Amino acid sequence: MAMEMKMKEALPYIGMVSTQFAQVGLMIVGKKAMSTGMTNFTFVFYSNALASLILLPSFFFYRSTRPPLNFSLICGFFLLGVLGCSAQLTGYAGINYTSASFASAMLNLIPGFTFVLAVIFRMEKLDCRSTSTLIKSVGTVVSIAGAFTATLYKGPQFFLSSSSLKPQNYLHFQETDWVIGGLYLVVDCIAASAYLIVQASILKNYPVELIVVFFYCFFSSILSAIVSLFMDMNINAWMLQSGTRLFAVLYSGVFGSAFQVSVMFWCVRRRGPLFVAMFHPLGIVIAAALGIIFLGDIFYLGSLVGSIVIVVGFYAVMWGKTQEKKVDEDHLSRNINSKAPLLQIKDAETEV
């Protein structure tokens, strides 16, 4: 029984680590596909359309047990699709301008933005007299400062692979492109943070993760298709004849949308949005290593410094969150202990 309980406690951690590997893999295959002429608009459309088809059976599987749908829930699903689609489009645009390792570092802004939004929507407490609240607030500011450092300051290059010595990589990572890519990724982080908050709110009223993920992917595919029809006039951007494009779409549909999003929804429902956000720093190490090995990414000193600052700020937020939890547990324990003597007296009187 104890082993079973430990495994149950460990499952959210295992799930979130696996999503970070899936996320970094998604960045790499997405950038590879876009380097062949595929745009981020068509890539997002194919990814969500495939995930919708994969998750469609769940809509019928839970027919007898799922809560009834209503107009308010459908609007919530649509809003989730708008935020998720916006995050994906701006995220892939940012990756195309920069690198997978840089994009992974910037995603560590999500915990800070999530904390701010959680306070606004009263999902997190904000007590100005509390040390933990002060540390969380400072950590949020530090994370944002780190993101701007990584965006605006590059510095010297290091960790060069043989492929990164090619001239076209230097042309690709021009100063202007780096800043534009960083701004796209900041928008991605804001949209992703709002997406987590809306997700947590919806799952409270409709706790069937796979159905929510299905509607999210369904609306995202419709929205990205509309945007793609306006933005991708070149028919070549829609073609999947390339093995790289086909593999990227299959990977993103199965592991990027269906698997990763489903696991994240499951973890958000059980541990909350900040628990999910706290695993983004793990992606820095994975993305840096895989990006340099497989994509020939150029790793800059500014990216390293900014990433370290972001992680420091992020874990300050998480430490503050942990301290708040301990304080709440202590208060609960004191309340129980204070009531215990009264209960004992009442039991004694009953026995008499």
Side-chain angles (χ1 to χ4, degrees):
M1 182 64 74
M3 188 66 180
E4 188 177 326
M5 288 295 293
K6 287 182 180 178
M7 190 62 189
K8 196 173 181 180
E9 284 291 317
L11 277 177
Y13 294 90
I14 296 170
M16 285 310 304
V17 170
S18 66
T19 62
Q20 285 304 304
F21 277 96
Q23 175 68 32
V24 174
L26 185 59
M27 290 179 180
I28 291 173
V29 298
K31 186 167 183 179
K32 277 287 188 183
M34 286 183 281
S35 68
T36 66
M38 192 177 195
T39 64
N40 56 322
F41 305 107
T42 51
F43 184 68
V44 170
F45 164 71
Y46 280 126
S47 175
N48 286 291
L50 178 59
S52 299
L53 290 174
I54 294 171
L55 294 167
L56 181 60
S58 66
F59 186 76
F60 301 99
F61 181 78
Y62 288 103
R63 179 183 294 179
S64 58
T65 57
R66 60 179 170 82
L69 294 170
N70 54 48
F71 181 73
S72 177
L73 277 171
I74 296 297
C75 288
F77 296 152
F78 180 76
L79 177 60
L80 206 59
V82 170
L83 293 171
C85 184
S86 301
Q88 289 181 72
L89 291 175
T90 53
Y92 286 123
I95 293 168
N96 200 30
Y97 277 108
T98 57
S99 67
S101 55
F102 178 82
S104 183
M106 289 293 289
L107 289 179
N108 288 284
L109 274 176
I110 293 176
F113 288 141
T114 303
F115 168 65
V116 172
L117 291 175
V119 169
I120 292 172
F121 290 99
R122 297 183 179 180
M123 292 182 177
E124 288 288 325
K125 294 184 295 183
L126 186 63
D127 183 2
C128 296
R129 296 169 297 179
S130 170
T131 304
S132 58
T133 298
L134 181 62
I135 291 173
K136 286 197 299 183
S137 303
V138 171
T140 301
V141 174
V142 169
S143 294
I144 295 171
F148 279 107
T149 301
T151 305
L152 301 175
Y153 171 69
K154 286 201 296 184
Q157 305 162 1
F158 59 102
F159 294 146
L160 298 180
S161 65
S162 57
S163 60
S164 64
L165 297 174
K166 296 178 182 178
Q168 60 265 30
N169 280 324
Y170 289 98
L171 291 174
H172 179 75
F173 294 117
Q174 294 175 0
E175 196 74 40
T176 305
D177 289 350
W178 202 260
V179 174
I180 292 172
L183 293 175
Y184 269 122
L185 290 167
V186 169
V187 175
D188 171 26
C189 292
I190 294 171
S193 299
Y195 163 81
L196 283 173
I197 296 297
V198 173
Q199 185 185 124
S201 177
I202 290 174
L203 288 171
K204 283 183 180 179
N205 301 317
Y206 200 87
V208 187
E209 293 90 348
L210 290 180
I211 300 295
V212 180
V213 176
F214 164 74
F215 276 108
Y216 156 70
C217 293
F218 175 72
F219 282 122
S220 292
S221 61
I222 292 175
L223 291 166
S224 56
I226 294 170
V227 174
S228 299
L229 290 173
F230 282 100
M231 301 299 295
D232 290 334
M233 305 304 292
N234 183 7
I235 193 66
N236 180 59
W238 292 83
M239 305 301 288
L240 294 178
Q241 77 278 11
S242 165
T244 301
R245 293 190 189 185
L246 184 59
F247 175 77
V249 167
L250 290 174
Y251 180 93
S252 64
V254 176
F255 293 101
S257 294
F259 168 76
Q260 183 192 7
V261 177
S262 297
V263 172
M264 286 177 65
F265 273 51
W266 184 81
C267 292
V268 165
R269 184 185 161 209
R270 281 154 182 79
R271 296 298 181 90
L274 277 181
F275 175 83
V276 171
M278 72 181 288
F279 283 85
H280 283 291
L282 177 63
I284 296 177
V285 179
I286 302 170
L290 297 183
I292 292 167
I293 294 168
F294 294 107
L295 295 178
D297 283 345
I298 303 171
F299 201 63
Y300 291 98
L301 178 62
S303 298
L304 178 63
V305 173
S307 301
I308 292 172
V309 174
I310 289 171
V311 172
V312 169
F314 165 73
Y315 279 111
V317 174
M318 290 300 104
W319 184 86
K321 179 70 177 169
T322 303
Q323 292 303 113
E324 281 188 351
K325 186 177 179 182
K326 287 181 179 178
V327 170
D328 290 340
E329 288 175 351
D330 288 341
H331 281 310
L332 181 62
S333 177
R334 286 171 188 169
N335 288 336
I336 292 172
N337 291 333
S338 64
K339 291 178 182 178
L342 295 175
L343 292 173
Q344 291 172 2
I345 292 170
K346 188 174 181 181
D347 290 340
E349 290 176 350
T350 304
E351 289 175 4
V352 173

